[in-house]
């Protein structure tokens, strides 16, 4: 992702949500699996037409982090948002080491040793589950995630919890069956 793909609101704007524009996927697949001999392979977004993009909202906390990072690193619009030592794509091994260190720093040992959040990709699962549990409509979550609604629900429907009391209140507020007139 390049700096120009991040839309940051002004520092004094009331709405501090940023937007991330996703153009392509660049998975780390290994040199032996690409036609170019490169470790990463650039692909169009899964389930989207060629050249189609996806916009994902960024929480105000992320907005603050990205604004500071761009300023600290003096990044320009065409620069990669997160760069390796030579200015290219950040190596997956670097990301995995940083993630492991961050988990170790903040998690109790028994959680750190568990599979919880072991892979960086687990953040995606956590975020999608949280959005669904927060009541974000599945169609919106699927759009942000780049999934279809059927794939999203097949994967995450069992993870949705804690909504039943609110749903019951909403159904009660909608009203009950109409009163029946006296039969007399």
């Amino acid at each position: 992702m390049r700096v120009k793909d991040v839309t940051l609101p002004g520092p004094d704007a009331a709405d501090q949500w940023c937007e991330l524009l996703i153009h392509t996927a660049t998975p780390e697949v290994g040199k032996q699996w690409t036609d170019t001999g490169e470790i990463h392979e650039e692909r169009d977004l899964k389930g989207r037409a060629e050249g189609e993009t996806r916009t994902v909202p960024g929480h105000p906390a992320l907005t603050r982090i990205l604004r500071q990072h761009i300023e600290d690193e003096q990044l320009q619009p065409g620069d990669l948002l997160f760069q390796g030592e030579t200015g290219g794509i950040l190596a997956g091994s670097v990301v995995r080491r940083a993630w492991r260190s961050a988990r170790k720093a903040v998690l109790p040992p028994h959680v750190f040793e568990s599979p919880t959040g072991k892979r960086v990709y687990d953040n995606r699962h956590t975020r999608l589950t949280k959005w669904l549990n927060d009541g974000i409509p599945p169609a919106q979550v699927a759009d942000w995630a780049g999934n279809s609604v059927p794939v999203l629900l097949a994967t995450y429907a069992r993870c949705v919890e804690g909504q039943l009391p609110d749903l019951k209140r909403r159904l009660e507020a909608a009203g009950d069956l109409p009163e029946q007139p006296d039969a007399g």
Side-chain angles (χ1 to χ4, degrees), residues 16-39:
Q16 284 296 304
W17 284 80
C18 65
E19 288 188 337
L20 311 172
L21 182 63
I22 314 295
H23 294 274
T24 57
T26 313
E28 184 179 87
V29 294
K31 292 179 181 183
Q32 70 274 25
W33 302 108
T34 64
D35 294 333
T36 62
E38 298 291 325
I39 293 173

Side-chain angles (χ1 to χ4, degrees), residues 58-73:
H59 191 278
L62 179 60
T63 299
R64 288 189 300 275
I65 291 167
L66 292 176
R67 185 180 287 121
Q68 191 65 53
H69 172 69
I70 291 167
E71 183 182 318
D72 289 350
E73 299 297 319

Side-chain angles (χ1 to χ4, degrees), residues 129-164:
T129 300
K130 176 126 176 45
W131 281 338
L132 290 170
N133 278 318
D134 287 346
I136 306 295
Q140 183 62 69
V141 174
D143 184 56
W144 289 339
N147 287 117
S148 67
V149 172
V151 166
L152 179 82
L153 294 178
T155 305
Y156 297 100
R158 294 175 310 281
C159 301
V160 177
E161 61 182 36
Q163 294 182 2
L164 189 56

Side-chain angles (χ1 to χ4, degrees), residues 3-174:
V3 174
K4 66 184 174 189
D5 299 324
V6 178
T7 303
L8 297 172
D12 297 327
D15 180 353
Q16 284 296 304
W17 284 80
C18 65
E19 288 188 337
L20 311 172
L21 182 63
I22 314 295
H23 294 274
T24 57
T26 313
E28 184 179 87
V29 294
K31 292 179 181 183
Q32 70 274 25
W33 302 108
T34 64
D35 294 333
T36 62
E38 298 291 325
I39 293 173
H40 295 91
E41 180 176 75
E42 188 167 313
R43 302 175 181 165
D44 284 311
L45 298 176
K46 202 186 301 183
R48 305 246 173 177
E50 185 177 327
E52 196 173 336
T53 61
R54 177 168 41 113
T55 301
V56 180
H59 191 278
L62 179 60
T63 299
R64 288 189 300 275
I65 291 167
L66 292 176
R67 185 180 287 121
Q68 191 65 53
H69 172 69
I70 291 167
E71 183 182 318
D72 289 350
E73 299 297 319
Q74 299 178 355
L75 297 175
Q76 301 303 309
D79 293 340
L80 287 171
L81 191 55
F82 299 101
Q83 306 173 9
E85 287 183 21
T86 61
I89 294 175
L90 192 60
S93 60
V94 172
V95 174
R96 288 187 293 276
R97 277 195 309 272
W99 180 242
R100 187 175 196 286
S101 294
R103 286 182 72 245
K104 192 168 193 167
V106 300
L107 297 175
H110 71 283
V111 177
F112 174 75
E113 294 301 330
S114 78
T116 303
K118 200 156 213 133
R119 303 169 305 156
V120 175
Y121 192 75
D122 294 335
N123 284 311
R124 173 186 169 83
H125 296 303
T126 300
R127 176 52 40 201
L128 300 183
T129 300
K130 176 126 176 45
W131 281 338
L132 290 170
N133 278 318
D134 287 346
I136 306 295
Q140 183 62 69
V141 174
D143 184 56
W144 289 339
N147 287 117
S148 67
V149 172
V151 166
L152 179 82
L153 294 178
T155 305
Y156 297 100
R158 294 175 310 281
C159 301
V160 177
E161 61 182 36
Q163 294 182 2
L164 189 56
D166 181 53
L167 293 173
K168 286 178 180 178
R169 279 191 297 278
R170 289 169 57 190
L171 289 170
E172 284 178 17

